[in-house]
């Protein structure tokens, strides 16, 4: 995720997704999908997805003002704007996979936005680590757990434990 090129995000959103985050879920995202990695960051996330065999739209454009032709949106969104991001995702109506803190599952806004619709979750067994071009991160890593919230991805189960 990154605040670069988007004034809506804070400086605290400058945490980049490591390749291992996409490797962990690659078998659940169809290889013939065109993916939109909607939050540019340092650009490496799009590179990682391409290395995994996906066609990827990954440009420094504003997520809220654009709607590229894609099959699914896959990203690690800026956590300071999760509510706005999920609201926009709901408007777009496209399949998505979002890497977010597990506490997102307990938010009222997520329940209000998606209600009885079939959200699915991929849950890693350990804490996800991130990179930051602007911060010195602790050696012991991230202080919170993350999960992948999925929509219209037709996963084999509603909860997948990695």
């Amino acid at each position: 995720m990154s605040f670069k090129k988007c004034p809506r995000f804070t400086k605290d959103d400058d945490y980049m997704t490591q390749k291992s985050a996409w490797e962990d879920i690659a078998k659940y995202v169809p290889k013939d999908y065109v993916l939109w990695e909607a939050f540019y960051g340092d650009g490496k996330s799009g590179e990682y997805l391409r290395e995994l065999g996906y066609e990827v739209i990954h440009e420094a454009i504003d997520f809220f003002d654009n709607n590229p032709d894609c099959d699914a949106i896959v990203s690690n969104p800026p956590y300071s704007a999760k509510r706005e991001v999920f609201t926009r995702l709901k408007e777009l109506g496209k399949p998505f996979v979002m890497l977010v803190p597990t506490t997102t599952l307990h938010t009222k806004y997520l329940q209000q936005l998606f209600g009885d619709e079939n959200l699915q979750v991929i849950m890693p067994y350990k804490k996800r680590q991130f990179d930051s071009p602007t911060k010195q991160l602790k050696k012991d890593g991230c202080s919170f757990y993350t999960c992948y919230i999925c929509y219209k991805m037709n996963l084999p189960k509603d909860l997948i434990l990695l």
Side-chain angles (χ1 to χ4, degrees), residues 72-92:
I73 303 166
V74 177
S75 197
N76 172 18
Y79 296 167
S80 71
K82 289 187 313 263
R83 178 191 307 246
E84 293 84 359
V85 168
F86 279 104
T87 300
R88 175 73 172 141
L89 288 166
K90 178 68 174 178
E91 288 172 9
L92 293 172

Side-chain angles (χ1 to χ4, degrees), residues 39-156:
F39 300 98
Y40 193 76
D42 61 4
K44 290 182 182 175
S45 189
E47 291 174 27
Y48 298 151
L49 289 163
R50 284 185 195 98
E51 289 171 10
L52 292 170
Y54 295 101
E55 182 178 340
V56 182
I57 300 164
H58 192 55
E59 303 165 351
I61 59 175
D62 190 326
F63 168 72
F64 297 97
D65 296 331
N66 292 278
N67 184 7
D69 186 21
C70 65
D71 297 302
I73 303 166
V74 177
S75 197
N76 172 18
Y79 296 167
S80 71
K82 289 187 313 263
R83 178 191 307 246
E84 293 84 359
V85 168
F86 279 104
T87 300
R88 175 73 172 141
L89 288 166
K90 178 68 174 178
E91 288 172 9
L92 293 172
K94 295 181 180 185
F96 66 74
V97 177
M98 293 290 122
L99 176 61
V100 294
T102 56
T103 55
T104 307
L105 293 168
H106 301 283
T107 61
K108 189 173 184 177
Y109 67 82
L110 192 71
Q111 294 172 20
Q112 289 174 334
L113 282 169
F114 294 96
D116 291 336
E117 293 185 58
N118 190 21
L119 289 178
Q120 297 178 303
V121 177
I122 301 173
M123 187 75 65
Y125 71 93
K126 62 181 181 177
K127 289 181 181 175
R128 172 71 45 221
Q129 301 307 314
F130 299 95
D131 296 322
S132 176
T134 60
K135 297 171 188 67
Q136 178 88 23
L137 301 179
K138 293 182 194 178
K139 288 184 180 182
D140 57 348
C142 188
S143 63
F144 56 90
Y145 287 91
T146 57
C147 65
Y148 303 86
I149 296 179
C150 307
Y151 178 67
K152 296 184 179 178
M153 290 301 295
N154 300 316
L155 300 176

